[in-house]
Amino acid sequence: MGGWAIAVHGGAGVDPNLPTHRQEEAKQLLARCLNLGISALRTSLSAVDVVELVVRELETDPLFNSGRGSALTENGTVEMEASIMDGPKRRCGAVSGISTVKNPVSLARLVMEKSPHSYLAFSGAEEFARKQGVELVDNEYFITEDNKGMLKLAKEANSIVNLVSIITLTSKDVGTMVRDIYEFDYRIPILGTCSAGAGAIESALQMNGLPISIYAPETVGCVVVDSQGRCAAATSTGGLMNKMMGRIGDSPLIGAGTYACDLCGVSCTGEGEAIIRGTLAREVAAVMEYKGLGLQDAVDFVVKERLDEGKAGIIAVSNKGEVACGFNTTGMFRGSATEDGYMEVGIWDQD
Amino acid sequence: MGGWAIAVHGGAGVDPNLPTHRQEEAKQLLARCLNLGISALRSSLSAIDVVELVVRELETDPLFNSGRGSALTENGTVEMEASIMDGPKRRCGAVSGISTVKNPVSLARLVMEKSPHSYLAFSGAEEFARKQGVEMVDNEYFITKDNKGMLKLAKEANSIVFDYRIPILGTCSAGAGAIESALQMNGLPIIIYAPETVGCVVVDSQGRCAAATSTGGLMNKMMGRIGDSPLIGAGTYACDLCGVSCTGEGEAIIRGTLAREVAAVMEYKGLGLQDAVDFVVKERLDEGKAGIIAVSNKGEVACGFNTTGMFRGCASEDGYMEVGIWDQD
């Protein structure tokens, strides 16, 4: 073993009905980011530089839920957050409530390296960004048409899901309601039959209280071990669709969404509350340290034991050049590669 | 063993020259809060209710750095944060950037119980507070004269050490001694550094653990700075096994995931509570300075710190009660 390794993710919890062309788009973006990271690793960039570089690319591309293309708050705005951690010495930086900084992960890095603190948020963070001269844009820059549509659906889903749970409707009623509500939703085929309508509601996978067809996987992340065995991790997100203003999720929280130490680098994604109460990212490292588990066993153990009813996914690398991932969700956008030539991009369990 | 246990803290890292009357004031407040918690435990209040109750008391009293009496930001305002965690099911709630809510720990509890999220901050948190009808006050309510003075000193300390607590220097050797022996925490001389938090951990008579931590944060901090106190796994943690609250250098506590670590070494290494606290203080802090209080589901209580002093008090159902500041207390 040994050598470098890299993994990226674009969120856990994927609509099983995601149209094929969107799956392809996602896989192409993941592959492009992997390759970006691989090139950087081949030029001996350090792990923390590589994770920042790759997450910047994921933020800039509007496809996943970070930077441009972030999920929207209940008010239709974007509030982003990110964290980064450097394994050697466990240095870390994080930001929350970012609304005008083009690349939140880079601001998190500046917090780590240029401020006396570890975590800055909201207007204080924006002020720091201004003083640091980072690239600032209007909040509109981050908002996409896709996500405006999704916000609308999410708001309607809160009423329809509540309604269905308290009223017994005939299949026909449900089918009609669903068709009317989902007139604008490219992710659910227009429902022509009652049974399909009822089926759509009954089989509605949920994450974070939203039907899976509307739920936007919450984050992007990257973990890297470089050829010197240094691990790093970074995670970035727009957060939960239709979230309350001021809501902070797991992505900026060290030990929850992101963790790196001498042994490994970890980034998590999924239901924020489950990741926070499970201190998921730290847990992978802790079971390696305290139980002597190897990387994949540690990831599997944590997914199995620390989530209770929660849904999440994890990517991780070890200082030995290994890469691993695990998830208990329906799908996770991910890619991994190692110096020995292994490379894989996938979405589903069986990928 | 078994039975209830409770510990409180008012921060780690204490000026060794703290005047005696201030030490007495602190010990009286710690004792009063312990007794408040003990009465509540005797009336069978649950652990989560007790930690909230006790931390509210610590926030309301201006002595320590939380609620009224919070440290000030670089702009002279107060931005508070808090977190609370309920061991059974590991439910949690946290808030940051609070400037008009009288008791941040209670807002953190509302986030846990009345919002779909775990952590709310700044104006979004204040808006939630308003909708929940919690008690709101002006930011000035939280600001004390003491802390205005400390802020001034902290700003000056960034260039030169000037502090009214050091006797006017008449001899060079005393002067040199004062500078050389300047303990530092979080980059500030210890004479100016305001210990950062208050906290409470409880196990009730049903063996349920809970923890809560609250703070105004670091004196002269940047606006928007978040420390370890609202971060689950760093400043606060509770699970089936134990409840933990930490205080000290925020960065060290965050990168060390200190509160979670105590529980993790109990779970994964089979250490008992005090051994776990000692292990974490020794192994997880590197050059960092911090203190920990913890209780276990077996009714034990423990604390540990590598700082010069930690304002603390502990009690357990078997009649043990102790309030202290220094190592040898």
Side-chain angles (χ1 to χ4, degrees), chain A residues 7 9 45-59 80-96 98 103-115 117-120 128 219-224 230-237 249-261 264-268 281, chain B residues 231 251 254-257:
Chain A
H9 73 74
L45 226 57
S46 68
V48 74
D49 287 336
V50 178
V51 297
E52 183 190 359
L53 184 74
V54 171
V55 172
R56 282 178 66 93
E57 184 67 23
L58 288 160
E59 287 171 339
M80 299 167 290
E81 47 197 15
S83 59
I84 188 166
M85 193 160 185
D86 192 14
K89 302 184 189 285
R90 280 180 278 122
R91 303 181 305 141
C92 47
V95 292
S96 281
I98 301 305
N103 286 100
V105 71
S106 294
L107 188 62
R109 180 138 189 216
L110 285 171
V111 170
M112 175 170 84
E113 297 187 333
K114 297 274 164 68
S115 89
H117 304 318
S118 294
Y119 189 5
L120 291 178
F128 172 72
T219 58
V220 299
C222 180
V223 293
V224 163
R230 296 173 296 204
C231 299
T235 313
S236 179
T237 187
D250 59 288
S251 303
L253 304 188
I254 298 299
T258 299
Y259 192 75
C261 60
C264 61
V266 187
S267 172
C268 305
Chain B
L231 305 188
E251 208 243 341
I254 292 170
R255 49 188 286 283
T257 54

Side-chain angles (χ1 to χ4, degrees), chain A residues 23-323:
Chain A
Q23 295 187 39
E24 280 314 305
E25 267 183 319
K27 283 161 63 168
Q28 279 167 32
L29 174 56
L30 291 164
R32 192 173 91 234
C33 290
L34 263 190
N35 283 320
L36 184 65
I38 291 168
S39 303
L41 282 162
R42 289 197 178 126
T43 63
S44 301
L45 226 57
S46 68
V48 74
D49 287 336
V50 178
V51 297
E52 183 190 359
L53 184 74
V54 171
V55 172
R56 282 178 66 93
E57 184 67 23
L58 288 160
E59 287 171 339
T60 303
D61 192 293
L63 189 69
F64 292 131
N65 176 0
S66 69
R68 186 152 159 261
S70 278
L72 306 182
T73 67
E74 61 183 353
N75 289 2
T77 59
V78 163
E79 283 179 5
M80 299 167 290
E81 47 197 15
S83 59
I84 188 166
M85 193 160 185
D86 192 14
K89 302 184 189 285
R90 280 180 278 122
R91 303 181 305 141
C92 47
V95 292
S96 281
I98 301 305
S99 45
T100 63
V101 174
K102 191 154 175 270
N103 286 100
V105 71
S106 294
L107 188 62
R109 180 138 189 216
L110 285 171
V111 170
M112 175 170 84
E113 297 187 333
K114 297 274 164 68
S115 89
H117 304 318
S118 294
Y119 189 5
L120 291 178
F122 291 88
S123 44
E126 301 266 335
E127 179 61 19
F128 172 72
R130 206 185 52 75
K131 288 183 173 152
Q132 291 289 319
V134 305
E135 191 174 357
L136 300 179
V137 294
D138 288 334
N139 199 243
E140 282 66 39
Y141 163 86
F142 303 103
I143 299 174
T144 60
E145 284 296 311
D146 268 8
N147 280 322
K148 284 197 213 177
M150 292 298 262
L151 179 62
K152 191 164 173 288
L153 290 176
K155 286 183 182 292
E156 285 161 356
N158 277 339
S159 33
I160 198 78
V161 167
N162 290 339
L163 190 66
V164 168
S165 70
I166 62 173
I167 296 175
T168 306
L169 299 168
T170 64
S171 302
K172 191 158 183 277
D173 293 336
V174 168
T176 305
M177 238 192 304
V178 170
R179 191 184 62 238
D180 289 348
I181 298 266
Y182 293 155
E183 83 220 17
F184 169 66
D185 177 36
Y186 44 77
R187 293 205 204 193
I188 296 185
I190 301 295
L191 300 164
T193 69
C194 308
S195 58
I201 298 290
E202 280 160 22
S203 66
L205 295 167
Q206 289 220 356
M207 270 187 71
N208 265 317
L210 290 173
I212 193 72
S213 49
I214 299 168
Y215 172 75
E218 286 203 46
T219 58
V220 299
C222 180
V223 293
V224 163
V225 54
D226 61 28
S227 38
Q228 319 242 5
R230 296 173 296 204
C231 299
T235 313
S236 179
T237 187
L240 187 58
M241 184 67 75
N242 200 27
K243 66 182 179 179
M244 290 171 69
M245 304 295 287
R247 180 260 189 179
I248 292 178
D250 59 288
S251 303
L253 304 188
I254 298 299
T258 299
Y259 192 75
C261 60
D262 285 332
L263 279 185
C264 61
V266 187
S267 172
C268 305
T269 162
E271 293 184 320
E273 209 244 339
I275 296 170
I276 293 170
R277 50 188 283 285
T279 55
L280 226 66
R282 166 60 188 143
E283 215 63 11
V284 172
V287 299
M288 289 178 74
E289 280 180 64
Y290 298 137
K291 287 173 76 73
L293 296 188
L295 186 73
Q296 186 66 62
D297 285 344
V299 168
D300 294 341
F301 177 91
V302 171
V303 169
K304 186 161 185 282
E305 303 295 334
R306 285 294 281 179
L307 283 172
D308 303 321
E309 304 81 35
K311 299 272 179 228
I314 302 176
I315 56 171
V317 289
S318 75
N319 62 359
K320 297 191 180 129
E322 303 160 298
V323 64

